[in-house]
């Protein structure tokens, strides 16, 4: 819907078959043309990848809102993660193995593994090597995010990074298809800092 301002002699939006807008601070009028939407194979791939990654990340992004170091100025954590994985969208391929749900300058967690008894649907136990980087404090956290696409479930586990072990509190059903990620979160003064996330190996 357009807006016509007779006092200023200008309008914005669509009015009839014309469109009013600002261009370089000048009021302009042009004929309305319906945008082309050819749906080429490349466009469909990009759109599908965007839809997949957006849907996947939406499951848990709110839960890690305060457990991340993303610079979310003017955007949500979900949008920040999607933006950080733009290359996947551009190539039209959503790869869960290389998805980054955290990015930063801290050393990545090493030997991060999970043990899950799928037959019993038991909780996952995670282990890792204690980080020894000089810029990681004794109060640093290990944050682990497990996502079950089949049952639309997720779990966020946090523990002291120096503890070298953590156990999930939610049991996943035996039908679960899990993708698990972990990263280190710390504070330098009042600023949150983090490592890149890594895909967790499940046994």
């Amino acid at each position: 819907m357009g807006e016509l301002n007779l006092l200023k002699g200008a309008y914005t939006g669509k009015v009839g078959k014309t469109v009013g807008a600002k261009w370089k601070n000048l009021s302009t009028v042009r004929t309305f043309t319906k945008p082309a939407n050819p749906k080429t194979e490349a466009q469909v791939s990009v759109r599908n990848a965007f839809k997949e990654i957006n849907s996947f990340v939406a499951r848990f992004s709110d839960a890690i809102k305060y457990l991340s170091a993303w610079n979310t100025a003017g955007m949500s954590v979900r949008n920040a993660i999607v933006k950080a994985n733009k290359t996947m969208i551009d190539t039209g391929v959503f790869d869960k193995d290389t998805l980054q749900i955290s990015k930063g300058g801290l050393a990545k967690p090493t030997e991060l593994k999970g043990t899950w008894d799928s037959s019993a649907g038991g909780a996952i136990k995670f282990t890792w090597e204690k980080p020894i980087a000089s810029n990681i404090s004794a109060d640093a956290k290990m944050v682990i995010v497990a996502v079950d696409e089949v049952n639309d479930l997720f779990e966020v586990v946090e523990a002291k990074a120096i503890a070298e072990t953590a156990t999930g509190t939610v049991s996943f059903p035996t039908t679960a298809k899990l993708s698990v990620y972990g990263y280190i979160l710390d504070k330098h003064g009042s600023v949150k800092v983090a490592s890149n996330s890594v895909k967790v190996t499940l046994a």
Side-chain angles (χ1 to χ4, degrees):
M1 183 177 71
E3 225 175 77
L4 179 62
N5 189 322
L6 296 175
L7 294 177
K8 292 184 178 179
Y11 65 82
T12 57
K14 184 174 179 287
V15 178
K17 293 185 178 181
T18 62
V19 177
K22 285 281 189 179
W23 179 74
K24 293 187 177 180
N25 211 30
L26 297 174
S27 295
T28 63
V29 179
R30 63 175 174 79
T31 303
F32 174 74
T33 304
K34 188 175 181 180
N37 185 18
K39 290 188 178 179
T40 64
E41 187 175 332
Q43 285 176 323
V44 171
S45 293
V46 167
R47 290 170 186 169
N48 287 342
F50 174 79
K51 184 178 178 181
E52 285 183 68
I53 188 172
N54 198 55
S55 176
F56 184 83
V57 172
R59 290 183 171 93
F60 60 85
S61 55
D62 284 346
I64 64 169
K65 182 176 181 179
Y66 300 107
L67 291 172
S68 70
W70 291 107
N71 179 7
T72 56
M75 69 174 74
S76 64
V77 170
R78 180 184 65 180
N79 286 344
I81 295 175
V82 171
K83 183 179 179 182
N85 291 277
K86 185 177 179 295
T87 301
M88 287 189 191
I89 297 171
D90 291 343
T91 58
V93 179
F94 174 34
D95 181 9
K96 298 181 189 71
D97 289 340
T98 58
L99 177 72
Q100 289 292 311
I101 68 167
S102 173
K103 279 196 171 185
L106 295 182
K108 292 188 292 186
T110 58
E111 297 300 317
L112 180 53
K113 298 175 183 177
T115 305
W116 174 51
D117 185 355
S118 59
S119 62
I124 305 172
K125 182 177 181 180
F126 299 98
T127 59
W128 58 86
E129 286 191 359
K130 181 171 63 178
I132 56 175
S134 60
N135 63 342
I136 297 177
S137 76
D139 294 323
K141 292 180 179 180
M142 176 69 72
V143 180
I144 299 163
V145 179
V147 185
D148 172 14
E149 289 182 271
V150 172
N151 301 287
D152 199 21
L153 299 171
F154 73 90
E155 177 181 351
V156 178
V157 178
E158 54 178 303
K160 277 204 167 186
I162 61 173
E164 297 188 289
T165 183
T167 302
T169 57
V170 177
S171 296
F172 288 101
T174 56
T175 55
K177 181 182 178 183
L178 294 174
S179 296
V180 187
Y181 308 88
Y183 58 91
I184 294 174
L185 180 69
D186 202 357
K187 270 191 172 184
H188 288 173
S190 60
V191 179
K192 289 180 182 177
V193 290
S195 72
N196 285 2
S197 59
V198 297
K199 186 88 165 15
V200 178
T201 302
L202 283 180

mmCIF file of all heavy atoms in Angstrom, residues 30-65:
data_model
loop_
_atom_site.group_PDB
_atom_site.id
_atom_site.type_symbol
_atom_site.label_atom_id
_atom_site.label_comp_id
_atom_site.label_asym_id
_atom_site.label_seq_id
_atom_site.Cartn_x
_atom_site.Cartn_y
_atom_site.Cartn_z
ATOM 1 N N ARG A 30 8.301 5.549 -10.448
ATOM 2 C CA ARG A 30 8.565 4.647 -11.568
ATOM 3 C C ARG A 30 7.366 3.735 -11.766
ATOM 4 O O ARG A 30 6.524 3.587 -10.876
ATOM 5 C CB ARG A 30 9.831 3.804 -11.313
ATOM 6 C CG ARG A 30 9.721 2.879 -10.118
ATOM 7 C CD ARG A 30 10.938 1.987 -9.976
ATOM 8 N NE ARG A 30 10.916 1.197 -8.766
ATOM 9 C CZ ARG A 30 10.219 0.092 -8.582
ATOM 10 N NH1 ARG A 30 9.441 -0.359 -9.562
ATOM 11 N NH2 ARG A 30 10.263 -0.568 -7.443
ATOM 12 N N THR A 31 7.302 3.129 -12.916
ATOM 13 C CA THR A 31 6.238 2.171 -13.199
ATOM 14 C C THR A 31 6.494 0.891 -12.424
ATOM 15 O O THR A 31 7.631 0.404 -12.363
ATOM 16 C CB THR A 31 6.185 1.859 -14.711
ATOM 17 O OG1 THR A 31 6.011 3.080 -15.418
ATOM 18 C CG2 THR A 31 5.046 0.907 -15.034
ATOM 19 N N PHE A 32 5.442 0.371 -11.818
ATOM 20 C CA PHE A 32 5.594 -0.860 -11.049
ATOM 21 C C PHE A 32 5.841 -2.040 -11.981
ATOM 22 O O PHE A 32 5.138 -2.238 -12.973
ATOM 23 C CB PHE A 32 4.342 -1.139 -10.215
ATOM 24 C CG PHE A 32 4.373 -2.473 -9.513
ATOM 25 C CD1 PHE A 32 5.180 -2.664 -8.396
ATOM 26 C CD2 PHE A 32 3.630 -3.543 -9.987
ATOM 27 C CE1 PHE A 32 5.221 -3.894 -7.756
ATOM 28 C CE2 PHE A 32 3.666 -4.771 -9.352
ATOM 29 C CZ PHE A 32 4.467 -4.939 -8.227
ATOM 30 N N THR A 33 6.888 -2.797 -11.676
ATOM 31 C CA THR A 33 7.208 -3.999 -12.429
ATOM 32 C C THR A 33 7.296 -5.170 -11.457
ATOM 33 O O THR A 33 8.028 -5.107 -10.463
ATOM 34 C CB THR A 33 8.562 -3.863 -13.162
ATOM 35 O OG1 THR A 33 8.514 -2.713 -13.997
ATOM 36 C CG2 THR A 33 8.854 -5.091 -14.000
ATOM 37 N N LYS A 34 6.552 -6.203 -11.725
ATOM 38 C CA LYS A 34 6.577 -7.371 -10.847
ATOM 39 C C LYS A 34 7.954 -8.021 -10.937
ATOM 40 O O LYS A 34 8.430 -8.330 -12.032
ATOM 41 C CB LYS A 34 5.503 -8.378 -11.258
ATOM 42 C CG LYS A 34 5.346 -9.525 -10.265
ATOM 43 C CD LYS A 34 4.182 -10.435 -10.658
ATOM 44 C CE LYS A 34 4.034 -11.556 -9.639
ATOM 45 N NZ LYS A 34 2.894 -12.451 -9.998
ATOM 46 N N PRO A 35 8.612 -8.226 -9.778
ATOM 47 C CA PRO A 35 9.958 -8.828 -9.798
ATOM 48 C C PRO A 35 9.942 -10.210 -10.432
ATOM 49 O O PRO A 35 9.000 -10.990 -10.239
ATOM 50 C CB PRO A 35 10.323 -8.914 -8.311
ATOM 51 C CG PRO A 35 9.435 -7.929 -7.632
ATOM 52 C CD PRO A 35 8.165 -7.900 -8.418
ATOM 53 N N ALA A 36 10.983 -10.487 -11.185
ATOM 54 C CA ALA A 36 11.098 -11.803 -11.824
ATOM 55 C C ALA A 36 11.420 -12.858 -10.779
ATOM 56 O O ALA A 36 12.155 -12.609 -9.824
ATOM 57 C CB ALA A 36 12.186 -11.761 -12.893
ATOM 58 N N ASN A 37 10.880 -14.037 -10.931
ATOM 59 C CA ASN A 37 11.165 -15.150 -10.024
ATOM 60 C C ASN A 37 11.278 -16.423 -10.862
ATOM 61 O O ASN A 37 10.392 -17.278 -10.845
ATOM 62 C CB ASN A 37 10.048 -15.276 -8.974
ATOM 63 C CG ASN A 37 10.366 -16.344 -7.943
ATOM 64 O OD1 ASN A 37 11.507 -16.752 -7.788
ATOM 65 N ND2 ASN A 37 9.343 -16.814 -7.254
ATOM 66 N N PRO A 38 12.376 -16.541 -11.615
ATOM 67 C CA PRO A 38 12.490 -17.656 -12.557
ATOM 68 C C PRO A 38 12.677 -19.025 -11.903
ATOM 69 O O PRO A 38 12.498 -20.047 -12.537
ATOM 70 C CB PRO A 38 13.727 -17.282 -13.380
ATOM 71 C CG PRO A 38 14.526 -16.421 -12.468
ATOM 72 C CD PRO A 38 13.532 -15.664 -11.650
ATOM 73 N N LYS A 39 13.047 -19.050 -10.617
ATOM 74 C CA LYS A 39 13.259 -20.321 -9.907
ATOM 75 C C LYS A 39 14.231 -21.231 -10.660
ATOM 76 O O LYS A 39 13.904 -22.372 -10.991
ATOM 77 C CB LYS A 39 11.919 -21.043 -9.694
ATOM 78 C CG LYS A 39 11.011 -20.361 -8.693
ATOM 79 C CD LYS A 39 9.793 -21.210 -8.376
ATOM 80 C CE LYS A 39 8.911 -20.536 -7.338
ATOM 81 N NZ LYS A 39 7.698 -21.329 -7.026
ATOM 82 N N THR A 40 15.393 -20.714 -10.932
ATOM 83 C CA THR A 40 16.405 -21.540 -11.565
ATOM 84 C C THR A 40 16.857 -22.611 -10.580
ATOM 85 O O THR A 40 16.617 -22.531 -9.373
ATOM 86 C CB THR A 40 17.624 -20.699 -11.980
ATOM 87 O OG1 THR A 40 18.240 -20.174 -10.784
ATOM 88 C CG2 THR A 40 17.230 -19.555 -12.886
ATOM 89 N N GLU A 41 17.555 -23.607 -11.081
ATOM 90 C CA GLU A 41 18.042 -24.697 -10.225
ATOM 91 C C GLU A 41 18.962 -24.158 -9.131
ATOM 92 O O GLU A 41 18.897 -24.594 -7.980
ATOM 93 C CB GLU A 41 18.791 -25.719 -11.088
ATOM 94 C CG GLU A 41 19.190 -26.973 -10.327
ATOM 95 C CD GLU A 41 19.823 -28.015 -11.215
ATOM 96 O OE1 GLU A 41 19.523 -28.052 -12.422
ATOM 97 O OE2 GLU A 41 20.642 -28.818 -10.699
ATOM 98 N N ALA A 42 19.818 -23.195 -9.485
ATOM 99 C CA ALA A 42 20.742 -22.616 -8.507
ATOM 100 C C ALA A 42 19.981 -21.861 -7.419
ATOM 101 O O ALA A 42 20.303 -21.955 -6.237
ATOM 102 C CB ALA A 42 21.725 -21.678 -9.203
ATOM 103 N N GLN A 43 18.955 -21.093 -7.837
ATOM 104 C CA GLN A 43 18.164 -20.336 -6.866
ATOM 105 C C GLN A 43 17.428 -21.263 -5.909
ATOM 106 O O GLN A 43 17.368 -21.012 -4.703
ATOM 107 C CB GLN A 43 17.156 -19.441 -7.595
ATOM 108 C CG GLN A 43 17.769 -18.218 -8.243
ATOM 109 C CD GLN A 43 16.745 -17.423 -9.021
ATOM 110 O OE1 GLN A 43 15.858 -17.992 -9.651
ATOM 111 N NE2 GLN A 43 16.861 -16.115 -8.992
ATOM 112 N N VAL A 44 16.878 -22.332 -6.441
ATOM 113 C CA VAL A 44 16.147 -23.290 -5.602
ATOM 114 C C VAL A 44 17.082 -23.939 -4.596
ATOM 115 O O VAL A 44 16.739 -24.114 -3.424
ATOM 116 C CB VAL A 44 15.457 -24.363 -6.479
ATOM 117 C CG1 VAL A 44 14.884 -25.482 -5.615
ATOM 118 C CG2 VAL A 44 14.353 -23.735 -7.315
ATOM 119 N N SER A 45 18.310 -24.273 -5.015
ATOM 120 C CA SER A 45 19.286 -24.883 -4.116
ATOM 121 C C SER A 45 19.645 -23.935 -2.976
ATOM 122 O O SER A 45 19.721 -24.340 -1.817
ATOM 123 C CB SER A 45 20.564 -25.259 -4.887
ATOM 124 O OG SER A 45 20.299 -26.279 -5.809
ATOM 125 N N VAL A 46 19.865 -22.666 -3.318
ATOM 126 C CA VAL A 46 20.201 -21.666 -2.300
ATOM 127 C C VAL A 46 19.049 -21.502 -1.320
ATOM 128 O O VAL A 46 19.249 -21.463 -0.099
ATOM 129 C CB VAL A 46 20.549 -20.317 -2.966
ATOM 130 C CG1 VAL A 46 20.586 -19.200 -1.934
ATOM 131 C CG2 VAL A 46 21.890 -20.408 -3.681
ATOM 132 N N ARG A 47 17.836 -21.410 -1.843
ATOM 133 C CA ARG A 47 16.664 -21.235 -0.975
ATOM 134 C C ARG A 47 16.462 -22.444 -0.062
ATOM 135 O O ARG A 47 16.138 -22.298 1.115
ATOM 136 C CB ARG A 47 15.418 -20.993 -1.825
ATOM 137 C CG ARG A 47 15.420 -19.641 -2.518
ATOM 138 C CD ARG A 47 14.299 -19.539 -3.520
ATOM 139 N NE ARG A 47 14.399 -18.296 -4.289
ATOM 140 C CZ ARG A 47 13.686 -18.039 -5.368
ATOM 141 N NH1 ARG A 47 12.820 -18.929 -5.823
ATOM 142 N NH2 ARG A 47 13.832 -16.887 -6.007
ATOM 143 N N ASN A 48 16.652 -23.637 -0.622
ATOM 144 C CA ASN A 48 16.488 -24.852 0.181
ATOM 145 C C ASN A 48 17.533 -24.938 1.279
ATOM 146 O O ASN A 48 17.235 -25.330 2.410
ATOM 147 C CB ASN A 48 16.557 -26.100 -0.701
ATOM 148 C CG ASN A 48 15.316 -26.282 -1.549
ATOM 149 O OD1 ASN A 48 14.271 -25.695 -1.262
ATOM 150 N ND2 ASN A 48 15.416 -27.084 -2.593
ATOM 151 N N ALA A 49 18.786 -24.573 0.955
ATOM 152 C CA ALA A 49 19.854 -24.599 1.957
ATOM 153 C C ALA A 49 19.567 -23.596 3.068
ATOM 154 O O ALA A 49 19.755 -23.886 4.254
ATOM 155 C CB ALA A 49 21.199 -24.291 1.302
ATOM 156 N N PHE A 50 19.104 -22.406 2.678
ATOM 157 C CA PHE A 50 18.748 -21.394 3.679
ATOM 158 C C PHE A 50 17.630 -21.906 4.585
ATOM 159 O O PHE A 50 17.681 -21.756 5.810
ATOM 160 C CB PHE A 50 18.314 -20.099 2.999
ATOM 161 C CG PHE A 50 17.811 -19.062 3.958
ATOM 162 C CD1 PHE A 50 18.700 -18.292 4.699
ATOM 163 C CD2 PHE A 50 16.447 -18.868 4.154
ATOM 164 C CE1 PHE A 50 18.246 -17.343 5.609
ATOM 165 C CE2 PHE A 50 15.980 -17.927 5.064
ATOM 166 C CZ PHE A 50 16.881 -17.162 5.796
ATOM 167 N N LYS A 51 16.627 -22.516 3.984
ATOM 168 C CA LYS A 51 15.490 -23.039 4.755
ATOM 169 C C LYS A 51 15.947 -24.131 5.717
ATOM 170 O O LYS A 51 15.529 -24.163 6.884
ATOM 171 C CB LYS A 51 14.434 -23.587 3.790
ATOM 172 C CG LYS A 51 13.170 -24.076 4.471
ATOM 173 C CD LYS A 51 12.165 -24.564 3.450
ATOM 174 C CE LYS A 51 10.905 -25.102 4.129
ATOM 175 N NZ LYS A 51 9.918 -25.604 3.135
ATOM 176 N N GLU A 52 16.816 -25.029 5.249
ATOM 177 C CA GLU A 52 17.295 -26.136 6.085
ATOM 178 C C GLU A 52 18.110 -25.644 7.273
ATOM 179 O O GLU A 52 17.881 -26.059 8.414
ATOM 180 C CB GLU A 52 18.143 -27.099 5.245
ATOM 181 C CG GLU A 52 17.360 -27.984 4.319
ATOM 182 C CD GLU A 52 18.290 -28.950 3.584
ATOM 183 O OE1 GLU A 52 18.859 -29.834 4.239
ATOM 184 O OE2 GLU A 52 18.458 -28.785 2.363
ATOM 185 N N ILE A 53 19.076 -24.780 7.005
ATOM 186 C CA ILE A 53 19.940 -24.301 8.082
ATOM 187 C C ILE A 53 19.147 -23.450 9.071
ATOM 188 O O ILE A 53 19.343 -23.539 10.288
ATOM 189 C CB ILE A 53 21.165 -23.529 7.536
ATOM 190 C CG1 ILE A 53 22.134 -23.209 8.672
ATOM 191 C CG2 ILE A 53 20.766 -22.249 6.845
ATOM 192 C CD1 ILE A 53 23.442 -22.615 8.188
ATOM 193 N N ASN A 54 18.231 -22.644 8.556
ATOM 194 C CA ASN A 54 17.413 -21.788 9.415
ATOM 195 C C ASN A 54 16.531 -22.636 10.337
ATOM 196 O O ASN A 54 16.423 -22.370 11.538
ATOM 197 C CB ASN A 54 16.547 -20.870 8.554
ATOM 198 C CG ASN A 54 16.014 -19.692 9.326
ATOM 199 O OD1 ASN A 54 16.768 -18.937 9.940
ATOM 200 N ND2 ASN A 54 14.715 -19.524 9.309
ATOM 201 N N SER A 55 15.926 -23.666 9.780
ATOM 202 C CA SER A 55 15.058 -24.550 10.555
ATOM 203 C C SER A 55 15.856 -25.333 11.595
ATOM 204 O O SER A 55 15.415 -25.493 12.738
ATOM 205 C CB SER A 55 14.339 -25.518 9.602
ATOM 206 O OG SER A 55 13.570 -26.443 10.321
ATOM 207 N N PHE A 56 17.039 -25.805 11.215
ATOM 208 C CA PHE A 56 17.884 -26.583 12.119
ATOM 209 C C PHE A 56 18.341 -25.732 13.305
ATOM 210 O O PHE A 56 18.223 -26.127 14.463
ATOM 211 C CB PHE A 56 19.098 -27.106 11.347
ATOM 212 C CG PHE A 56 20.004 -28.002 12.145
ATOM 213 C CD1 PHE A 56 19.715 -29.346 12.291
ATOM 214 C CD2 PHE A 56 21.154 -27.503 12.742
ATOM 215 C CE1 PHE A 56 20.548 -30.181 13.022
ATOM 216 C CE2 PHE A 56 21.997 -28.316 13.473
ATOM 217 C CZ PHE A 56 21.693 -29.671 13.612
ATOM 218 N N VAL A 57 18.845 -24.545 13.018
ATOM 219 C CA VAL A 57 19.393 -23.662 14.055
ATOM 220 C C VAL A 57 18.289 -23.107 14.954
ATOM 221 O O VAL A 57 18.502 -22.885 16.151
ATOM 222 C CB VAL A 57 20.201 -22.518 13.410
ATOM 223 C CG1 VAL A 57 20.611 -21.475 14.436
ATOM 224 C CG2 VAL A 57 21.431 -23.079 12.707
ATOM 225 N N ALA A 58 17.095 -22.914 14.391
ATOM 226 C CA ALA A 58 15.983 -22.358 15.171
ATOM 227 C C ALA A 58 15.622 -23.225 16.366
ATOM 228 O O ALA A 58 15.088 -22.732 17.362
ATOM 229 C CB ALA A 58 14.761 -22.166 14.279
ATOM 230 N N ARG A 59 15.936 -24.525 16.291
ATOM 231 C CA ARG A 59 15.591 -25.438 17.389
ATOM 232 C C ARG A 59 16.266 -25.046 18.705
ATOM 233 O O ARG A 59 15.680 -25.162 19.763
ATOM 234 C CB ARG A 59 15.985 -26.871 17.030
ATOM 235 C CG ARG A 59 15.156 -27.512 15.947
ATOM 236 C CD ARG A 59 15.602 -28.956 15.723
ATOM 237 N NE ARG A 59 14.691 -29.659 14.842
ATOM 238 C CZ ARG A 59 14.838 -29.751 13.532
ATOM 239 N NH1 ARG A 59 15.864 -29.159 12.944
ATOM 240 N NH2 ARG A 59 13.963 -30.405 12.792
ATOM 241 N N PHE A 60 17.527 -24.601 18.621
ATOM 242 C CA PHE A 60 18.300 -24.408 19.857
ATOM 243 C C PHE A 60 18.860 -23.000 20.039
ATOM 244 O O PHE A 60 19.415 -22.694 21.093
ATOM 245 C CB PHE A 60 19.474 -25.390 19.887
ATOM 246 C CG PHE A 60 20.433 -25.234 18.739
ATOM 247 C CD1 PHE A 60 21.464 -24.293 18.793
ATOM 248 C CD2 PHE A 60 20.321 -26.004 17.595
ATOM 249 C CE1 PHE A 60 22.343 -24.135 17.739
ATOM 250 C CE2 PHE A 60 21.196 -25.855 16.526
ATOM 251 C CZ PHE A 60 22.217 -24.911 16.600
ATOM 252 N N SER A 61 18.723 -22.133 19.061
ATOM 253 C CA SER A 61 19.391 -20.826 19.124
ATOM 254 C C SER A 61 18.962 -19.997 20.330
ATOM 255 O O SER A 61 19.795 -19.330 20.958
ATOM 256 C CB SER A 61 19.166 -20.045 17.827
ATOM 257 O OG SER A 61 17.789 -19.923 17.544
ATOM 258 N N ASP A 62 17.679 -20.019 20.672
ATOM 259 C CA ASP A 62 17.225 -19.252 21.837
ATOM 260 C C ASP A 62 17.837 -19.785 23.130
ATOM 261 O O ASP A 62 18.101 -19.030 24.062
ATOM 262 C CB ASP A 62 15.694 -19.279 21.946
ATOM 263 C CG ASP A 62 15.019 -18.361 20.943
ATOM 264 O OD1 ASP A 62 15.730 -17.515 20.350
ATOM 265 O OD2 ASP A 62 13.801 -18.493 20.734
ATOM 266 N N ALA A 63 18.062 -21.101 23.187
ATOM 267 C CA ALA A 63 18.596 -21.723 24.399
ATOM 268 C C ALA A 63 20.050 -21.357 24.655
ATOM 269 O O ALA A 63 20.520 -21.439 25.792
ATOM 270 C CB ALA A 63 18.451 -23.247 24.319
ATOM 271 N N ILE A 64 20.781 -20.962 23.608
ATOM 272 C CA ILE A 64 22.189 -20.585 23.808
ATOM 273 C C ILE A 64 22.391 -19.075 23.715
ATOM 274 O O ILE A 64 23.518 -18.605 23.561
ATOM 275 C CB ILE A 64 23.123 -21.315 22.812
ATOM 276 C CG1 ILE A 64 22.825 -20.905 21.368
ATOM 277 C CG2 ILE A 64 23.049 -22.818 22.992
ATOM 278 C CD1 ILE A 64 23.876 -21.384 20.373
ATOM 279 N N LYS A 65 21.292 -18.342 23.820
ATOM 280 C CA LYS A 65 21.361 -16.879 23.721
ATOM 281 C C LYS A 65 22.385 -16.300 24.691
ATOM 282 O O LYS A 65 23.144 -15.388 24.357
ATOM 283 C CB LYS A 65 19.982 -16.288 23.992
ATOM 284 C CG LYS A 65 19.923 -14.775 23.875
ATOM 285 C CD LYS A 65 18.498 -14.270 24.069
ATOM 286 C CE LYS A 65 18.426 -12.762 23.932
ATOM 287 N NZ LYS A 65 17.036 -12.260 24.094
#
